[in-house]
């Protein structure tokens, strides 16, 4: 049974990089009939907020991603306590009292001596008397996980065979001196308890995976499969970290970008498959294949997203956008304008054109054409009217081509370009058309 999770920390807004991880997990679950867990990694009480947690849910819903289960790490401290007790009992956790400054000093010394800056395990050698003295002098310790120091490898679902040598790593701190368990531990306890089968996350977690495989084993849990997606970079190949603020889902939404366009782009970024506008997420599930994702960094171009978003609009039906259109706008109106706007918000301009008033424009040498047009306007207007009407005007005035069509368009819409006139014309009231022609 496939079970995956998306595990953001509610310490900020989601950006396109997070969204990609969420989407790929969701697509993987939906493709394989599995379950998708939303887990909030909120053990850091100082930095996590309820507002960010709510915003994460709002952003995921906007993207169209639903979750089958929900968990909050802050609800699960008793489980972490049990895991901690087990690790202490098996001798894998040991107390340490070094301050950050002391560790930093040691690190600098190691680097100066051309030695790897790895924790020297001084605390592992402490006797009971030392521990009692340090507790008296410095208070509660933090706790480190004693790594086995092994060459761990796994068949990464994205990167292929991947190796982490835990002998080259510092024993990670799993519990802060104030008792707070840290992500490296809590994530593994959760992944075991929720029977996560596949951990799909960013490449920045590869080293964690080495440590966490040791933790899965130490806790007697089944080790899941892992896939590490390459990170997003901008057009120049630089990491996106500095620009991610402006690439939050909230700001893309405010800009009018379609969620379906974000999904369609992120579902293909980093694969060799073409990015295509889709009318529904089902098409993305169908076309999804994790093995298509490559090791190379994935280039994210915001202008590509804007273009795609405008294309996606042309495929959206009225019901999908209804509540974002001006009151009174109907399916015929949406049909008429959706090919001529970049964002749904632009439809309001065309609604103004339809309902009036429109700006008056000076039109040279067209009085004759416009006067005849007013006389010949059919009483009832439908999709065929424009063709018949303009033929009749042409026959009566001899005007044709641009000399016929441009004055009509300018008079009726106040602008030289826009949706096909045969779709716009029946949307405008006859009375209004007459007054614009006049
Ligand atoms: N909270 C972690 C993060 O956002 C989760 C990483 C993971 O998927 O294990 O980086």
């Amino acid at each position: 049974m496939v079970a995956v999770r998306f595990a953001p920390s509610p310490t900020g807004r989601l950006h396109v990089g997070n969204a990609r991880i969420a989407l790929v997990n969701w697509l993987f679950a939906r493709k394989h009939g599995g379950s998708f867990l939303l887990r909030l990694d909120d053990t850091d009480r100082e930095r996590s907020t309820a507002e960010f947690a709510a915003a994460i849910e709002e952003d995921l819903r906007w993207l169209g991603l639903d979750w089958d289960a929900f968990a909050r790490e802050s609800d699960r401290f008793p489980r972490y306590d049990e895991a901690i007790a087990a690790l202490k009992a098996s001798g894998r956790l040991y107390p340490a009292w070094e301050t950050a400054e002391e560790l930093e000093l040691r690190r600098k010394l190691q680097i100066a001596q051309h030695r790897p800056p790895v924790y020297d395990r001084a605390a592992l050698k402490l006797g009971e008397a030392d521990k009692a003295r340090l507790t008296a002098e410095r208070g509660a310790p933090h706790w480190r996980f004693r790594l086995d120091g092994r060459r761990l490898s796994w068949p990464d679902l994205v990167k292929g065979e991947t190796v982490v040598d835990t002998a080259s790593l510092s024993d990670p701190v799993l519990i802060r001196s104030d008792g707070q368990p840290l992500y490296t531990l809590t994530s593994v306890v959760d992944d075991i308890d929720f029977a996560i089968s596949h951990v799909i996350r960013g490449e920045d977690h590869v080293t964690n995976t080495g440590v966490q495989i040791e933790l899965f084993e130490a806790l007697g849990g089944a080790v899941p499969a892992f896939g590490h997606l390459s990170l997003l970079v901008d057009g120049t190949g630089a990491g996106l970290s500095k620009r991610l603020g402006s690439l939050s889902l909230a700001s893309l939404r405010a800009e009018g970008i379609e969620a379906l366009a974000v999904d369609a782009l992120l579902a293909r970024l980093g694969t060799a498959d073409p990015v295509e506008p889709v009318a529904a997420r089902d098409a993305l599930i169908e076309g999804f294949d994790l093995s298509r994702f490559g090791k190379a960094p994935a280039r994210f171009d915001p202008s590509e997203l804007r273009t795609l978003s405008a294309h996606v609009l042309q495929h959206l039906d009225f019901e999908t956008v209804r509540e974002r259109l001006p009151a009174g706008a109907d399916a015929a109106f949406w049909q008429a304008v959706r090919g001529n706007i970049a964002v749904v918000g632009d439809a309001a301009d065309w609604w103004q054109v339809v309902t009036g008033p429109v700006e008056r424009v000076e039109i040279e040498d067209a009085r004759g054409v416009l006067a005849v047009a007013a006389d010949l306007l059919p009483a009832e207007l439908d999709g065929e009217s424009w063709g018949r009407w303009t033929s009749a005007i042409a026959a009566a005035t001899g005007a044709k081509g641009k000399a016929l069509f441009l004055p009509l368009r300018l008079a009726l819409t106040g602008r030289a370009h826009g949706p096909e006139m045969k779709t716009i014309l029946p949307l405008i009231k006859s009375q209004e058309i007459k007054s614009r022609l006049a």
Side-chain angles (χ1 to χ4, degrees):
M1 180 68 186
V2 165
V4 295
R5 84 296 196 281
F6 172 57
S9 300
T11 55
R13 298 296 303 241
L14 296 183
H15 50 68
V16 286
N18 311 125
R20 179 164 174 252
I21 304 290
L23 176 71
V24 169
N25 274 286
W26 182 83
L27 289 170
F28 189 80
R30 296 293 170 260
K31 177 89 185 191
H32 298 287
S35 67
F36 176 68
L37 164 73
L38 171 60
R39 181 184 94 200
L40 296 180
D41 283 0
D42 60 349
T43 50
D44 185 340
R45 287 170 175 170
E46 289 112 57
R47 293 176 58 226
S48 303
T49 72
E51 289 72 28
F52 283 135
I56 285 172
E57 294 194 32
E58 183 190 352
D59 287 344
L60 290 179
R61 282 201 195 93
W62 176 66
L63 281 181
L65 310 187
D66 53 345
W67 46 96
D68 309 299
F70 174 83
R72 223 183 260 116
E73 289 201 322
S74 57
D75 289 338
R76 294 177 37 79
F77 285 113
R79 276 296 297 132
Y80 307 138
D81 287 343
E82 286 172 23
I84 289 165
L87 292 173
K88 283 183 181 170
S90 61
R92 294 300 293 272
L93 279 179
Y94 62 94
W97 281 265
E98 289 95 343
T99 63
E101 294 73 30
E102 287 167 343
L103 292 170
E104 182 55 19
L105 210 63
R106 264 188 230 173
R107 222 176 59 86
K108 284 193 178 139
L109 201 65
Q110 286 169 317
I111 291 171
Q113 295 169 346
H114 304 291
R115 287 187 290 146
V118 173
Y119 178 62
D120 61 9
R121 291 186 159 168
L124 202 50
K125 293 153 203 137
L126 297 172
E128 289 311 313
D130 298 321
K131 291 184 192 170
R133 178 180 50 80
L134 284 164
T135 305
E137 284 173 16
R138 299 191 171 197
H142 52 272
W143 294 79
R144 287 186 187 263
F145 178 60
R146 184 175 50 73
L147 290 168
D148 268 346
R150 280 191 287 146
R151 202 174 162 281
L152 286 164
S153 68
W154 67 91
D156 195 279
L157 300 168
V158 178
K159 294 165 64 70
E161 202 59 26
T162 304
V163 179
V164 170
D165 184 356
T166 57
S168 69
L169 303 176
S170 298
D171 288 340
V173 175
L174 297 191
I175 309 160
R176 294 199 324 199
S177 59
D178 62 3
Q180 183 188 303
L182 295 177
Y183 154 77
T184 309
L185 171 67
T186 55
S187 179
V188 171
V189 175
D190 296 340
D191 288 343
I192 294 172
D193 287 359
F194 289 91
I196 297 301
S197 62
H198 296 73
V199 171
I200 303 166
R201 55 188 176 184
E203 198 171 36
D204 48 332
H205 284 289
V206 165
T207 308
N208 283 339
T209 296
V211 171
Q212 290 182 328
I213 288 176
E214 281 206 21
L215 264 170
F216 275 103
E217 292 175 355
L219 290 168
V223 181
F226 288 95
H228 294 86
L229 293 173
S230 63
L231 300 181
L232 296 185
V233 294
D234 68 13
T236 68
L240 281 182
S241 52
K242 286 195 200 74
R243 304 182 47 204
L244 284 175
S246 65
L247 296 175
S248 69
L249 297 181
S251 59
L252 294 177
R253 182 164 61 233
E255 202 189 307
I257 298 288
E258 287 303 309
L260 202 49
V262 179
D263 288 338
L265 182 62
L266 295 180
R268 291 289 167 85
L269 225 54
T271 74
D273 301 328
V275 174
E276 287 157 344
V278 290
R281 280 171 194 84
D282 287 353
L284 297 177
I285 299 173
E286 219 159 282
F288 177 78
D289 180 353
L290 187 60
S291 71
R292 303 292 296 166
F293 286 78
K295 293 184 224 177
R299 273 176 208 283
F300 176 81
D301 176 0
S303 68
E304 193 184 352
L305 181 57
R306 288 188 195 104
T307 310
L308 184 64
S309 183
H311 279 138
V312 160
L313 282 185
Q314 297 172 23
H315 298 272
L316 294 184
D317 58 26
F318 173 62
E319 287 308 324
T320 311
V321 295
R322 173 179 217 143
E323 43 189 51
R324 291 188 282 153
L325 294 177
D330 59 8
F333 167 75
W334 175 243
Q335 195 79 27
V337 302
R338 67 181 179 179
N340 279 270
I341 53 179
V343 296
V344 171
D346 292 350
D349 297 342
W350 289 109
W351 187 242
Q352 178 66 36
V353 166
V354 166
T355 54
V358 292
E359 217 175 302
R360 287 173 61 113
V361 280
E362 278 309 315
I363 306 169
E364 307 257 321
D365 304 328
R367 275 182 193 283
V369 168
L370 297 181
V372 171
D375 286 342
L376 294 178
L377 187 70
E380 300 286 325
L381 295 172
D382 60 27
E384 308 300 318
S385 304
W386 174 256
R388 288 204 209 101
W389 185 41
T390 51
S391 299
I393 303 166
T397 62
K400 56 182 195 287
K402 205 173 158 197
L404 169 64
F405 295 112
L406 186 60
L408 287 172
R409 179 180 280 279
L410 282 170
L412 293 179
T413 70
R415 44 191 92 186
H417 303 282
E420 281 188 86
M421 286 305 296
K422 71 170 189 180
T423 63
I424 284 287
L425 185 71
L427 300 173
I428 311 173
K429 288 206 181 76
S430 294
Q431 213 30 54
E432 185 61 35
I433 294 173
K434 290 239 171 73
S435 92
R436 290 182 196 180
L437 291 169

